[in-house]
Amino acid sequence: SQQGEEDPQALSIQEGENATMNCSYKTSINNLQWYRQNSGRGLVHLILIRSNEREKHSGRLRVTLDTSKKSSSLLITASRAADTASYFCATDAETSGSRLTFGEGTQLTVNP
Amino acid sequence: GAGVSQSPSNKVTEKGKDVELRCDPISGHTALYWYRQSLGQGLEFLIYFQGNSAPDKSGLPSDRFSAERTGGSVSTLTIQRTQQEDSAVYLCASSLISGRGYEQYFGPGTRLTVT
């Protein structure tokens, strides 16, 4: 079953704008990861944030984690048309070993 | 270096036939995972292997699904007597070890269509 829920399901913005995607989950986690997927094929790992971290940066990406609210957000700054993709959060729950449980994903479209 | 590779990239099969999907993990990665992505179900975990330990098969949807990993490297996912609901993209991933907090690197997937 899918633990994560993401919103919005779809997001359309103009190039140069910031994009924010949110993810909520239900159980206690060890870490949360964000992945990107182009054209329904392989996933590319973007960033991992551990349960004892609150914020992490990688290039134009900023991820926050609020374990009290069981939620995370992914911010992409100064978006580019090449950022158009589906973005998924995935949790590594304390009770499920190291397998990942994925959210439903957000389809981001960046218009040039 | 080389990433995770999967073959075939696309597979069309008739209902009732068996199929085998192959995954070559990144060299040196001891953990290997299979996931399935289908419309309406999102990405779901199927099975994972860690070294010589017994695999975690808890995500396999039915006994028609099985997987093996030979020599701690290549893995094959077998679906017997395929059904239309098996149509999906099957994704394989590997990680350095099966520890929490280790990135999983995904292959390009095999798109399975059961007619």
Side-chain angles (χ1 to χ4, degrees):
Chain A
S1 62
Q2 293 293 321
Q3 167 168 242
E5 296 180 2
E6 294 177 66
D7 78 275
Q9 288 188 322
L11 179 62
S12 182
I13 60 174
Q14 295 301 122
E15 218 169 17
E17 293 180 340
N18 296 340
T20 300
M21 291 161 270
N22 302 297
C23 166
S24 61
Y25 55 92
K26 296 184 175 67
T27 64
S28 295
I29 62 171
N30 294 300
N31 62 72
L32 185 144
Q33 305 183 45
W34 284 89
Y35 285 84
R36 165 197 167 120
Q37 184 179 42
N38 289 80
S39 305
R41 298 307 287 263
L43 286 88
V44 175
H45 185 270
L46 296 176
I47 196 165
L48 179 152
I49 186 165
R50 302 186 191 282
S51 60
N52 61 354
E53 297 177 312
R54 293 295 168 260
E55 188 171 312
K56 203 160 184 179
H57 297 254
S58 176
R60 293 184 296 115
L61 306 179
R62 172 177 169 254
V63 168
T64 62
L65 179 65
D66 186 335
T67 52
S68 66
K69 295 181 180 177
K70 292 187 168 60
S71 68
S72 173
S73 67
L74 171 68
L75 168 68
I76 304 175
T77 60
S79 63
R80 305 166 182 167
D83 294 329
T84 295
S86 292
Y87 291 82
F88 295 87
C89 68
T91 54
D92 171 356
E94 289 183 349
T95 56
S96 63
S98 57
R99 65 181 183 182
L100 295 177
T101 301
F102 286 84
E104 299 295 325
T106 293
Q107 172 60 51
L108 173 67
T109 302
V110 181
N111 301 299
Chain B
V4 177
S5 61
Q6 293 185 245
S7 61
S9 56
N10 288 283
K11 176 71 176 179
V12 180
T13 190
E14 291 180 356
K15 179 181 172 181
K17 296 282 180 69
D18 298 352
V19 295
E20 285 189 353
L21 311 179
R22 178 187 167 106
C23 172
D24 283 85
I26 293 172
S27 177
H29 280 195
T30 62
L32 186 147
Y33 308 79
W34 283 98
Y35 296 86
R36 177 171 74 171
Q37 185 175 29
S38 52
L39 288 175
Q41 293 295 321
L43 270 151
E44 46 180 345
F45 165 80
L46 297 176
I47 186 171
Y48 102 85
F49 298 87
Q50 169 55 49
N52 296 320
S53 302
D56 176 353
K57 304 180 183 179
S58 59
L60 294 178
S62 77
D63 58 9
R64 296 185 296 104
F65 288 72
S66 64
E68 62 177 23
R69 188 178 185 193
T70 53
S73 181
V74 171
S75 177
T76 302
L77 177 70
T78 301
I79 309 173
Q80 296 178 309
R81 306 181 301 281
T82 52
Q83 304 294 312
Q84 288 186 330
E85 61 263 28
D86 299 335
S87 295
V89 176
Y90 289 81
L91 293 161
C92 174
S94 70
S95 67
L96 190 58
I97 65 174
S98 177
R100 290 160 182 160
Y102 285 87
E103 300 173 19
Q104 294 184 20
Y105 295 85
F106 282 79
T110 293
R111 184 178 298 278
L112 174 66
T113 304
V114 182
T115 62

